Amino acid sequence: MAQKQKQQPQNNHQRIYVLQLRKAESIHCLKEPHHLMCYYDYGTGRTNRLHPKHHHPLRRLFFLLSSLCFSLLFLSLLFYSLGTEQILQVERNIQAVPKPPCSSMQNNSICCDRTSIRTDICFMRGDVRTNSRSSSILLVSSPATSNITEEKIRPYTRKWEANVMSTIDELRLRQVADSRFHKCDVTHDVPAVVFSTGGYTGNVYHEFNDGILPLYITSQHFNRKVVFLILEYHDWWITKYGDVVSRLSKYKPIDFTNDKRTHCFKEVIVGVRIHDELTVDPKKMIKGKTIRDFRRMLDDAYKGRIKYIERIDGRRSLVPVQYLPTSSTSEVYRPKLVFLSRSGGSRMIENEAELVAMAKAIGFQVQVLKPDRTTELCKIYRELNYSDAMIGVHGAAMTHFLFMRPGKVFIQIIPLGTDWAAETYYGQPATKLGLWYMPYKIQAKESSLYREYPKGDPVLTDPESVGKRGWEVTKKVYLDRQNVRLDLWRFRKRLVRAHAYLVAKKRNQNAQ
């Protein structure tokens, strides 16, 4: 039986070679087996028009070789120009990104970057020593050193808010020539970062936005080889965020004010950098770290504690119950929905029970969380880390969207007068994390203010104009005195869309 030979693909494309050295009067082309050769007639009076029966083989070879040489030359110049342009473009991009201040500071110097509206940050390099009694950090230099300098800084990330910044301890960064009175009690071979846990600490949004995230941005590149010096040190803060802090530093934090020993370093950073609300800008990070890298750090921070809690509770370690059997032969996927419930009389959902019942009827597995300041953070993380969707009314508790995995659903209920804050503080950052953000802006009839103000009152019809009266008015009217009664039929559309999305996503994952 004869074997069939594999047929080679044929190239049906025709190549066209054109050679023109000066202005021509006419053109003549020859069709070859795999190309088309064209020549120009320059009207010299001679019979130089090439015809198959007059075409000399040597002339034909000459034109072939000439065409090939020109083609190779053209391609080489083309690729060279493209490669050169790409290199030049990269160089232009690098030059377009300005180097941050203090990036090229010398040894035995103090340099402060005060260009940000949000925070100041200072760098000290050389023989650096702490002196908590005088609220100072000293850079010891030789007596011959000129330009003895002193800087002052409050290491907190609300620089533009004078009222809160006035409550932050101020540090003096001084260059001194005599070290006899400041001998080292503890010598460290790693850098230090100095920051404050004062200000708005106590509010979970500010604890992450003004503290934990800036600390990550400033220190993560040290790979835990860094010491933290904390102003306004709080034991409760260390208890609450100790798991996270331990992922950024393998050393015990130092209470700057109450530790009277002289700590010596070769490098100290006073203050922390902040990029934007609840996010990390990869363009400003070493190795392009993102908010997802921050979230992976949280995973590592809480993993051990969660496993311990799971053993204590007798629950399955780190695995959510996401399938509820409906019969002996089939299972129905029920996405886990966590509802962050508010208490305290402000921005509560008045028909919360009906909302929970509706979500269950749609097909969600619903869990209601009521976190407060005493709730262990890793317990909240455990629930949200393995949730598929989260619902909550605008407020500081929405910061917990950081605990959700990318690809999940975040539904923020937006009361009257809170549109800008809801979008800026939580909506945009959630999208950057990779969540499907579904805002639900309530109508006037869904607000408790509808029962307090006349129907035509600007409080109901034009919250933006009310907000222009100042933050105190906004806080008093819209944040402290407003509850929500959801139009369940209207809100149901959000839940149905979210459920369909999650079920389809799960189905696609199972099919892969």
Side-chain angles (χ1 to χ4, degrees):
M1 185 174 181
Q3 292 184 350
K4 294 184 178 179
Q5 294 183 354
K6 184 176 180 181
Q7 185 178 5
Q8 296 297 327
Q10 294 183 357
N11 186 356
N12 294 323
H13 297 287
Q14 297 291 341
R15 297 181 182 176
I16 301 178
Y17 296 94
V18 178
L19 180 63
Q20 181 178 7
L21 301 179
R22 60 185 187 272
K23 185 176 180 181
E25 296 179 350
S26 60
I27 184 172
H28 301 271
C29 295
L30 299 175
K31 184 176 181 182
E32 301 296 335
H34 300 290
H35 62 269
L36 190 66
M37 182 73 69
C38 294
Y39 306 93
Y40 287 92
D41 185 354
Y42 299 100
T44 60
R46 297 171 54 189
T47 308
N48 58 356
R49 298 178 183 178
L50 296 178
H51 190 272
K53 64 180 180 180
H54 298 125
H55 184 34
H56 195 280
L58 290 178
R59 183 175 296 181
R60 180 177 171 187
L61 178 61
F62 167 76
F63 281 109
L64 270 174
L65 292 176
S66 300
S67 300
L68 181 60
C69 290
F70 276 108
S71 299
L72 292 174
L73 179 61
F74 173 76
L75 289 175
S76 63
L77 291 174
L78 176 62
F79 289 135
Y80 174 79
S81 64
L82 288 176
T84 303
E85 177 61 28
Q86 290 175 349
I87 293 172
L88 292 175
Q89 184 61 44
V90 170
E91 291 179 350
R92 285 194 291 268
N93 291 339
I94 293 175
Q95 295 172 358
V97 178
K99 292 183 178 180
C102 305
S103 59
S104 59
M105 66 178 290
Q106 301 296 320
N107 201 26
N108 297 318
S109 61
I110 301 173
C111 182
C112 292
D113 179 0
R114 303 187 187 275
T115 59
S116 172
I117 192 175
R118 291 175 174 264
T119 186
D120 291 333
I121 185 168
C122 294
F123 302 86
M124 307 179 71
R125 191 169 294 166
D127 184 356
V128 186
R129 310 185 184 193
T130 63
N131 186 262
S132 60
R133 290 179 176 85
S134 62
S135 297
S136 300
I137 302 179
L138 311 175
L139 175 64
V140 179
S141 303
S142 63
T145 302
S146 60
N147 298 324
I148 301 298
T149 60
E150 176 174 323
E151 299 279 357
K152 294 181 179 181
I153 183 174
R154 300 178 189 269
Y156 191 62
T157 57
R158 309 292 291 188
K159 175 181 172 181
W160 73 96
E161 292 191 49
N163 290 337
V164 70
M165 289 301 291
S166 66
T167 68
I168 303 298
D169 292 343
E170 184 177 68
L171 286 178
R172 298 168 62 201
L173 313 182
R174 296 189 292 147
Q175 196 168 5
V176 297
D178 195 341
S179 63
R180 288 178 298 173
F181 304 107
H182 310 288
K183 295 188 179 299
C184 298
D185 296 314
V186 184
T187 300
H188 303 267
D189 58 359
V190 297
V193 173
V194 185
F195 64 98
S196 174
T197 54
Y200 291 125
T201 300
N203 176 294
V204 68
Y205 165 77
H206 290 287
E207 287 169 4
F208 272 92
N209 188 70
D210 304 341
I212 295 297
L213 268 162
L215 187 61
Y216 171 82
I217 290 168
T218 307
S219 67
Q220 59 82 31
H221 67 281
F222 289 120
N223 296 319
R224 301 182 65 228
K225 295 178 180 179
V226 60
V227 173
F228 293 145
L229 304 178
I230 303 178
L231 290 175
E232 298 172 79
Y233 184 102
H234 302 288
D235 289 330
W236 67 263
W237 188 90
I238 294 296
T239 300
K240 184 174 184 179
Y241 292 104
D243 292 330
V244 178
V245 171
S246 68
R247 296 306 306 170
L248 296 174
S249 170
K250 60 182 180 180
Y251 304 97
K252 183 179 179 180
I254 296 173
D255 181 348
F256 181 89
T257 303
N258 294 316
D259 190 334
K260 303 302 181 182
R261 297 175 296 174
T262 298
H263 293 266
C264 297
F265 303 88
K266 294 181 180 179
E267 181 181 358
V268 173
I269 301 174
V270 186
V272 287
R273 294 193 185 278
I274 182 172
H275 292 164
D276 206 342
E277 309 301 330
L278 293 177
T279 196
V280 176
D281 185 350
K283 296 179 181 179
K284 300 178 181 179
M285 293 292 289
I286 297 177
K287 297 182 180 180
K289 295 289 185 178
T290 69
I291 187 64
R292 294 193 183 190
D293 293 298
F294 172 77
R295 196 196 169 283
R296 278 189 285 270
M297 186 271 293
L298 294 182
D299 256 343
D300 294 335
Y302 290 124
K303 188 180 299 181
R305 178 61 179 164
I306 289 176
K307 287 182 177 179
Y308 174 78
I309 293 174
E310 296 288 353
R311 288 197 300 269
I312 297 299
D313 292 349
R315 297 173 59 175
R316 292 188 297 169
S317 176
L318 299 177
V319 179
V321 180
Q322 292 186 333
Y323 291 90
L324 296 178
T326 57
S327 68
S328 58
T329 59
S330 64
E331 293 181 339
V332 175
Y333 171 62
R334 297 174 66 87
K336 180 180 178 181
L337 170 64
V338 173
F339 173 53
L340 290 181
S341 177
R342 292 183 62 92
S343 58
S346 174
R347 283 167 283 159
M348 297 181 0
I349 296 182
E350 297 175 343
N351 52 347
E352 178 179 304
E354 292 89 335
L355 171 61
V356 171
M358 181 177 69
K360 290 180 178 179
I362 289 172
F364 284 102
Q365 173 195 168
V366 182
Q367 181 174 6
V368 179
L369 290 182
K370 293 187 178 183
D372 56 34
R373 292 185 179 182
T374 64
T375 304
E376 189 174 355
L377 209 57
C378 74
K379 292 184 177 180
I380 304 174
Y381 188 88
R382 177 183 63 177
E383 302 303 336
L384 288 174
N385 186 39
Y386 291 101
S387 68
D388 297 293
M390 183 181 84
I391 293 177
V393 180
H394 168 70
M398 296 300 95
T399 305
H400 294 121
F401 79 79
L402 289 169
F403 297 175
M404 302 182 71
R405 290 169 293 166
K408 302 305 179 180
V409 178
F410 171 34
I411 303 176
Q412 181 177 204
I413 299 171
I414 305 175
L416 296 181
T418 64
D419 298 25
W420 180 87
E423 177 68 17
T424 302
Y425 297 149
Y426 306 111
Q428 293 176 6
T431 301
K432 293 176 182 177
L433 179 60
L435 302 179
W436 184 18
Y437 174 57
M438 300 177 64
Y440 179 82
K441 181 179 178 181
I442 72 167
Q443 296 178 341
K445 292 182 179 180
E446 297 174 273
S447 171
S448 61
L449 300 177
Y450 190 76
R451 303 190 293 267
E452 298 181 27
Y453 291 86
K455 294 182 180 180
D457 194 286
V459 168
L460 302 176
T461 61
D462 191 8
E464 185 175 352
S465 67
V466 177
K468 291 180 180 179
R469 302 178 192 173
W471 165 248
E472 291 301 324
V473 174
T474 298
K475 184 176 184 298
K476 179 180 179 181
V477 175
Y478 294 115
L479 298 181
D480 296 342
R481 293 174 45 199
Q482 181 176 197
N483 288 327
V484 174
R485 175 169 286 276
L486 291 173
D487 180 340
L488 294 179
W489 181 253
R490 180 170 174 256
F491 190 78
R492 186 179 188 277
K493 299 176 183 178
R494 294 286 195 287
L495 288 181
V496 170
R497 287 176 60 200
H499 184 270
Y501 163 78
L502 293 168
V503 169
K505 184 176 181 180
K506 186 68 174 179
R507 187 183 300 115
N508 291 335
Q509 290 176 349
N510 292 338
Q512 294 177 356

